[in-house]
């Protein structure tokens, strides 16, 4: 679908502020319950339950707290952020559930953010240790960072598109420490990922396997999408944001063009209200759940890329991001604390399909990254934001 922008309402500056006011109010409201513990990855009947700091998603909750702190400056948020940074510090020192690639998702919006915002030295130390942990998953033969599982098994010898968001942590660590190893590994991974996860039609593979002996590309597959050859909606959105970040950090011009194509594919497969179903295979009329988190992630990617484009093109992507967030604000955002303790409804974490045996959880619910990226997009539209990524 080519988007005719005039057909879609814009979100106004007042609505953006109102949305951020509500998000900050909701976070303050639940903060007493979720300071020493975290919100679960996904809600159940639209309510999050408390969990320990063991999942790949906990950083988004701390990230929401920091975004709320940036918006309203309430000291209770700062205090909670510091308590959570301590939890991340303990987690990386004790190596609790850190044998995977999601160190960036965990430590950028929590510890890097806390270091940037309030100069937390504990946050800085924890984030550098997390970067050290992340580079242990690098395979020099295949030149990529392995996503999950033990490092010595061929069935684990793969990367996933989501990892593009884990790499800013490595660029940050190189800048902070002066050690170029982190950046060099990130760059190799980006190159390998981009060369393999983007298909000819600019849809994307969720995961991609390599030959363990030679490192040569083997085959693409999905884990959370509808079927191997389809475009998982969140994977494509990780691709949109991932290409913007790849350009930001490498300065390689070819990534701008890839951003345009991957984004175009995404936009062409959106239903009328600009919020995708959980896989881009589905559209209006299909009885399938949405993934509102995908829309917010893609909007953040467009807002990021707009910073590096010429005036007209930047305006174009900002305008699309604006319409997407307006749709989330009007139709998906929580506006009444009695119906949910989250921020955005109708996300899908992982939906079971006949082609795919992935877990079935968090379907048509709030999820932490959906809440976080909605706030990030609003913040990006509200001010000149110093990003956590
Ligand atoms: N990075 C995992 C997910 O998007 O569900």
């Amino acid at each position: 679908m080519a988007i005719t922008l005039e057909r879609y309402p814009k979100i106004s500056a007042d609505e953006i502020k109102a949305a951020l006011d509500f998000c900050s109010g909701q976070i303050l409201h639940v903060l007493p319950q979720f300071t020493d513990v975290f919100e679960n990855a996904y809600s159940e009947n639209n309510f999050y339950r408390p969990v320990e700091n063991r999942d790949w998603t906990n950083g988004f909750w701390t990230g929401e707290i920091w975004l709320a702190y940036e918006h309203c400056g309430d000291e209770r948020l700062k205090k909670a952020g510091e308590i959570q940074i301590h939890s991340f510090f303990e987690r990386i020192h004790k190596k609790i559930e850190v044998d995977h690639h999601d160190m960036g998702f965990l430590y950028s919006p929590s510890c890097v953010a806390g270091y940037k915002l309030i100069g937390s030295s504990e946050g800085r130390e924890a984030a550098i240790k997390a970067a050290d942990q992340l580079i242990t998953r690098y395979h020099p033969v295949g030149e990529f960072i392995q996503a999950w599982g033990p490092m010595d098994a061929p069935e684990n010898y793969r990367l996933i598109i989501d990892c593009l968001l884990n790499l800013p942590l490595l660029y940050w660590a190189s800048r902070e420490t002066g050690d170029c190893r982190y950046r060099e590994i990130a760059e190799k991974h980006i190159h390998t990922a981009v060369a393999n996860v983007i298909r000819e039609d600019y849809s994307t593979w969720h995961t991609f396997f390599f030959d363990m002996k030679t490192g040569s590309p083997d085959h693409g597959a999905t884990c959370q999408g509808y079927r191997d050859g389809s475009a998982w909606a969140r994977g494509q959105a990780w691709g949109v944001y991932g290409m913007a970040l790849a350009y930001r950090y490498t300065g390689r011009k070819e990534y701008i063009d890839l951003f345009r194509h991957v984004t175009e594919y995404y936009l062409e497969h959106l239903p009328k209200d600009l919020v995708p179903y959980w896989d881009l295979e589905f559209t209006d009329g299909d009885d399938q759940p949405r993934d509102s988190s995908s829309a917010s992630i893609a909007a953040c990617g467009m807002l990021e890329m707009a910073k590096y484009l010429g005036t007209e093109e930047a305006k174009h992507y900002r305008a699309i991001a604006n319409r997407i967030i307006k749709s989330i604000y009007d139709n998906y955002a929580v506006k009444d604390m009695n119906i949910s303790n989250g921020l955005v409804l109708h996300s899908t974490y992982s939906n079971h399909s006949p082609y795919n045996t992935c877990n079935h959880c968090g379907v048509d619910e709030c999820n932490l990254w959906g809440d976080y990226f909605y706030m990030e997009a609003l913040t990006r539209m509200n001010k000149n934001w110093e990003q956590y990524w």
Side-chain angles (χ1 to χ4, degrees):
M1 179 190 69
I3 294 181
T4 315
L5 283 174
E6 305 75 61
R7 285 222 302 264
Y8 290 94
K10 285 193 218 164
I11 188 165
S12 67
D14 285 348
E15 285 171 321
I16 291 169
K17 285 210 166 54
L20 281 168
D21 286 347
F22 180 85
C23 293
S24 304
Q26 175 79 300
I27 290 165
L28 276 166
H29 180 66
V30 303
L31 203 59
Q33 230 194 315
F34 294 105
T35 292
D36 297 320
V37 286
F38 293 73
E39 290 188 345
N40 189 31
Y42 54 89
S43 65
E44 286 146 280
N45 298 318
N46 296 330
F47 281 83
Y48 289 104
R49 63 184 160 85
V51 289
E52 299 297 324
N53 189 354
R54 305 180 69 89
D55 207 345
W56 69 274
T57 54
N58 305 83
F60 296 119
W61 173 237
T62 315
E64 287 177 54
I65 290 172
W66 287 131
L67 289 172
Y69 178 61
E70 285 201 51
H71 179 64
C72 70
D74 192 303
E75 286 296 309
R76 287 171 292 176
L77 294 160
K78 179 178 170 198
K79 202 158 178 358
E82 288 178 307
I83 289 169
Q84 296 195 359
I85 282 182
H86 185 65
S87 166
F88 282 102
F89 183 86
E90 292 280 297
R91 178 170 173 177
I92 195 68
H93 276 83
K94 295 182 181 157
K95 294 207 189 289
I96 300 168
E97 300 289 337
V98 291
D99 277 331
H100 55 76
H101 71 155
D102 284 325
M103 295 304 106
F105 281 128
L106 284 168
Y107 283 83
S108 294
S110 59
C111 293
V112 173
Y115 175 56
K116 286 183 175 175
L117 283 173
I118 62 161
S120 166
S121 52
E122 200 175 32
R124 180 182 183 278
E125 189 184 327
I128 290 170
K129 254 192 125 39
D132 286 333
Q133 175 68 16
L134 181 52
I135 60 173
T136 65
R137 301 194 63 82
Y138 181 66
H139 283 297
V141 175
E143 299 193 331
F144 67 92
I145 293 171
Q146 183 182 306
W148 311 304
M151 296 287 282
D152 55 0
E155 69 271 21
N156 290 323
Y157 199 68
R158 66 162 151 197
L159 58 81
I160 75 170
I161 192 165
D162 324 26
C163 189
L164 293 169
L165 273 283
N166 284 319
L167 306 176
L169 178 70
L170 298 182
Y171 283 94
W172 172 84
S174 271
R175 278 200 313 277
E176 275 304 309
T177 61
D179 182 344
C180 59
R181 260 177 331 140
Y182 306 101
R183 187 182 60 233
E184 283 168 6
I185 286 177
E187 214 132 297
K188 295 266 192 215
H189 178 96
I190 291 175
H191 188 68
T192 308
V194 169
N196 292 288
V197 295
I198 302 175
R199 303 185 186 116
E200 247 172 56
D201 65 354
Y202 301 106
S203 65
T204 51
W205 292 108
H206 176 199
T207 89
F208 204 93
F209 289 87
F210 299 82
D211 181 284
M212 203 164 180
K213 280 205 186 79
T214 62
S216 55
D218 200 86
H219 69 281
T222 196
C223 189
Q224 282 161 269
Y226 177 60
R227 61 183 173 87
D228 282 340
S230 68
W232 174 45
R234 196 159 61 256
Q236 192 79 15
W238 292 136
V240 171
Y241 201 166
M243 290 318 303
L245 291 171
Y247 177 70
R248 171 190 172 91
Y249 285 110
T250 66
R252 284 194 202 176
K253 292 261 186 303
E254 66 263 32
Y255 293 165
I256 302 184
D257 217 37
L258 284 171
F259 165 86
R260 290 184 183 119
H261 287 301
V262 169
T263 304
E264 200 51 39
Y265 186 95
Y266 185 83
L267 296 173
E268 276 173 359
H269 290 81
L270 291 180
K272 282 201 189 68
D273 75 352
L274 306 180
V275 174
Y277 290 85
W278 68 284
D279 192 290
L280 298 183
E281 183 117 331
F282 305 115
T283 191
D284 290 306
D286 287 323
D287 184 22
Q288 294 285 337
R290 306 270 180 166
D291 181 6
S292 57
S293 76
S294 165
S296 295
I297 293 164
C300 287
M302 290 179 228
L303 293 168
E304 174 63 17
M305 195 68 215
K307 294 182 345 201
Y308 315 111
L309 298 171
T311 316
E312 279 311 304
E313 199 179 9
K315 217 166 112 187
H316 170 70
Y317 285 115
R318 285 196 185 106
I320 296 173
N322 177 297
R323 268 54 168 205
I324 290 174
I325 294 302
K326 170 70 171 166
S327 181
I328 300 265
Y329 175 68
D330 281 348
N331 309 312
Y332 295 81
V334 174
K335 302 215 176 59
D336 172 357
M337 292 178 188
N338 294 311
I339 64 147
S340 172
N341 61 0
L343 304 181
V344 185
L345 308 170
H346 309 302
S347 246
T348 292
Y349 183 177
S350 190
N351 196 14
H352 191 73
S353 96
Y355 299 99
N356 188 358
T357 50
C358 61
N359 295 334
H360 184 91
C361 63
V363 175
D364 198 18
E365 290 285 348
C366 306
N367 63 43
L368 271 191
W369 56 92
D371 290 356
Y372 168 83
F373 285 108
Y374 173 58
M375 277 190 88
E376 180 182 309
L378 291 166
T379 305
R380 281 175 178 273
M381 292 192 287
N382 193 43
K383 66 175 188 179
N384 190 4
W385 182 58
E386 197 201 335
Q387 63 201 68
Y388 306 160
W389 308 98

